[in-house]
Amino acid sequence: QVQLVESGGGSVQAGGSLRLSCAGFGHIYGSYCMGWFRQAPGKEREGVAAFYTGGSSTYYADSVKGRFTISHDNAKNTLYLQMNSLKLEDTAMYYCAQSWHPLCYTDPSARARYNFWGQGTQVIVSS
Protein backbone atom coordinates (compact mmCIF):
# COMPACT_ATOMS: atom_id res chain seq x y z
CA GLN A 1 0.00 0.00 0.00
CA VAL A 2 1.44 3.33 -1.07
CA GLN A 3 0.42 6.28 1.04
CA LEU A 4 2.37 9.43 0.40
CA VAL A 5 2.48 12.13 3.04
CA GLU A 6 4.11 15.51 2.43
CA SER A 7 5.40 17.88 5.08
CA GLY A 8 7.54 20.96 5.36
CA GLY A 9 5.38 23.54 3.67
CA GLY A 10 4.71 26.92 5.17
CA SER A 11 5.03 30.64 4.72
CA VAL A 12 8.34 32.23 3.88
CA GLN A 13 9.58 35.54 2.58
CA ALA A 14 10.94 35.86 -0.91
CA GLY A 15 14.55 34.80 -1.02
CA GLY A 16 14.08 32.30 1.78
CA SER A 17 14.27 28.52 1.80
CA LEU A 18 12.10 25.56 2.62
CA ARG A 19 12.64 21.82 2.51
CA LEU A 20 9.71 19.61 1.67
CA SER A 21 9.61 15.96 2.66
CA CYS A 22 7.51 13.09 1.44
CA ALA A 23 7.30 9.70 3.10
CA GLY A 24 5.43 6.51 2.30
CA PHE A 25 6.82 5.35 -1.01
CA GLY A 26 6.19 1.80 -2.09
CA HIS A 27 8.88 -0.48 -3.47
CA ILE A 28 8.53 -2.67 -6.50
CA TYR A 29 10.86 -4.97 -8.34
CA GLY A 30 12.63 -2.70 -10.74
CA SER A 31 12.86 1.05 -11.01
CA TYR A 32 10.27 3.77 -10.83
CA CYS A 33 9.88 7.54 -10.91
CA MET A 34 9.43 9.92 -8.01
CA GLY A 35 8.60 13.56 -8.32
CA TRP A 36 7.33 16.84 -7.01
CA PHE A 37 4.53 18.74 -8.69
CA ARG A 38 2.81 21.97 -7.81
CA GLN A 39 -0.47 23.66 -8.50
CA ALA A 40 -1.14 27.34 -8.08
CA PRO A 41 -4.70 28.70 -7.89
CA GLY A 42 -6.27 28.77 -11.33
CA LYS A 43 -3.41 26.90 -12.94
CA GLU A 44 -2.77 23.35 -13.99
CA ARG A 45 -0.61 21.05 -11.95
CA GLU A 46 2.94 21.17 -13.25
CA GLY A 47 6.07 19.16 -12.76
CA VAL A 48 8.70 20.78 -10.59
CA ALA A 49 11.36 18.10 -10.20
CA ALA A 50 11.41 14.37 -10.78
CA PHE A 51 13.77 11.50 -11.37
CA TYR A 52 14.00 7.87 -12.36
CA THR A 53 15.50 5.60 -9.72
CA GLY A 54 17.05 3.31 -12.30
CA GLY A 55 19.09 5.83 -14.19
CA SER A 56 20.18 9.38 -14.74
CA SER A 57 16.90 10.86 -15.87
CA THR A 58 16.32 13.88 -13.65
CA TYR A 59 13.92 16.64 -14.53
CA TYR A 60 13.72 20.20 -13.28
CA ALA A 61 11.29 22.77 -14.55
CA ASP A 62 13.11 25.68 -16.13
CA SER A 63 11.60 28.01 -13.56
CA VAL A 64 13.30 26.19 -10.66
CA LYS A 65 16.64 25.14 -12.14
CA GLY A 66 19.50 26.23 -9.96
CA ARG A 67 17.20 26.92 -7.02
CA PHE A 68 15.49 23.61 -6.22
CA THR A 69 17.08 20.23 -5.59
CA ILE A 70 15.32 16.88 -5.48
CA SER A 71 16.84 14.07 -3.46
CA HIS A 72 15.90 10.73 -1.97
CA ASP A 73 17.00 8.99 1.21
CA ASN A 74 16.63 5.26 0.60
CA ALA A 75 17.15 4.36 4.24
CA LYS A 76 14.34 6.64 5.32
CA ASN A 77 12.23 6.01 2.23
CA THR A 78 11.74 9.73 1.96
CA LEU A 79 11.80 12.16 -0.92
CA TYR A 80 12.94 15.74 -0.43
CA LEU A 81 12.70 19.00 -2.28
CA GLN A 82 15.13 21.66 -1.14
CA MET A 83 13.85 25.02 -2.28
CA ASN A 84 16.17 28.00 -2.13
CA SER A 85 15.84 31.59 -3.31
CA LEU A 86 12.09 31.28 -3.25
CA LYS A 87 10.08 33.64 -5.42
CA LEU A 88 6.51 34.88 -5.19
CA GLU A 89 5.63 32.72 -8.18
CA ASP A 90 6.65 29.59 -6.27
CA THR A 91 3.52 29.93 -4.18
CA ALA A 92 1.44 26.80 -4.73
CA MET A 93 0.29 23.52 -3.29
CA TYR A 94 3.13 21.04 -3.66
CA TYR A 95 2.50 17.35 -4.21
CA CYS A 96 4.80 14.38 -4.22
CA ALA A 97 4.06 11.44 -6.46
CA GLN A 98 5.29 8.02 -7.45
CA SER A 99 5.07 6.38 -10.85
CA TRP A 100 5.30 2.67 -11.57
CA HIS A 101 4.71 3.24 -15.27
CA PRO A 102 7.28 1.20 -17.25
CA LEU A 103 8.05 4.19 -19.48
CA CYS A 104 8.22 6.88 -16.81
CA TYR A 105 11.97 7.16 -17.37
CA THR A 106 11.38 8.70 -20.80
CA ASP A 107 9.83 11.75 -19.15
CA PRO A 108 9.82 11.78 -15.34
CA SER A 109 7.71 14.95 -15.42
CA ALA A 110 4.80 13.30 -17.23
CA ARG A 111 2.00 13.82 -14.74
CA ALA A 112 -0.36 11.30 -16.34
CA ARG A 113 2.06 8.44 -15.66
CA TYR A 114 2.02 8.89 -11.91
CA ASN A 115 -0.02 6.33 -10.01
CA PHE A 116 0.17 7.63 -6.47
CA TRP A 117 -0.16 11.13 -5.06
CA GLY A 118 0.09 12.77 -1.69
CA GLN A 119 -2.44 15.23 -0.32
CA GLY A 120 -0.16 18.20 -0.79
CA THR A 121 1.58 20.77 1.36
CA GLN A 122 1.06 24.50 0.94
CA VAL A 123 3.94 26.84 0.19
CA ILE A 124 3.31 30.57 0.41
CA VAL A 125 6.02 33.03 -0.56
CA SER A 126 5.46 36.64 0.39
CA SER A 127 7.32 39.85 -0.31
Side-chain angles (χ1 to χ4, degrees), residues 2 4 24-28 32-35 37 96-100 113-117:
V2 176
L4 304 178
F25 287 89
H27 294 285
I28 59 172
Y32 49 88
C33 291
M34 308 167 73
F37 295 75
C96 65
Q98 183 175 18
S99 171
W100 291 356
R113 291 177 175 172
Y114 280 78
N115 312 80
F116 307 101
W117 293 84

Side-chain angles (χ1 to χ4, degrees), residues 11-112:
S11 297
V12 64
Q13 287 193 322
S17 299
L18 283 174
R19 189 177 78 156
L20 306 183
S21 300
C22 178
F25 287 89
H27 294 285
I28 59 172
Y29 180 78
S31 301
Y32 49 88
C33 291
M34 308 167 73
W36 288 97
F37 295 75
R38 68 185 181 187
Q39 188 167 17
K43 295 187 177 181
E44 288 191 358
R45 192 171 299 188
E46 63 175 355
V48 175
F51 72 96
Y52 176 63
T53 61
S56 59
S57 297
T58 302
Y59 165 85
Y60 287 100
D62 288 342
S63 58
V64 307
K65 283 180 181 177
R67 300 188 298 121
F68 290 11
T69 303
I70 188 171
S71 62
H72 180 230
D73 187 325
N74 285 323
K76 295 182 178 179
N77 199 30
T78 301
L79 183 71
Y80 300 100
L81 184 68
Q82 178 66 43
M83 306 187 295
N84 298 328
S85 302
L86 283 161
K87 303 178 180 180
L88 298 179
E89 52 264 41
D90 294 320
T91 294
M93 185 72 79
Y94 283 72
Y95 301 89
C96 65
Q98 183 175 18
S99 171
W100 291 356
H101 194 287
L103 295 177
C104 75
Y105 67 93
T106 63
D107 183 5
S109 70
R111 187 182 64 190

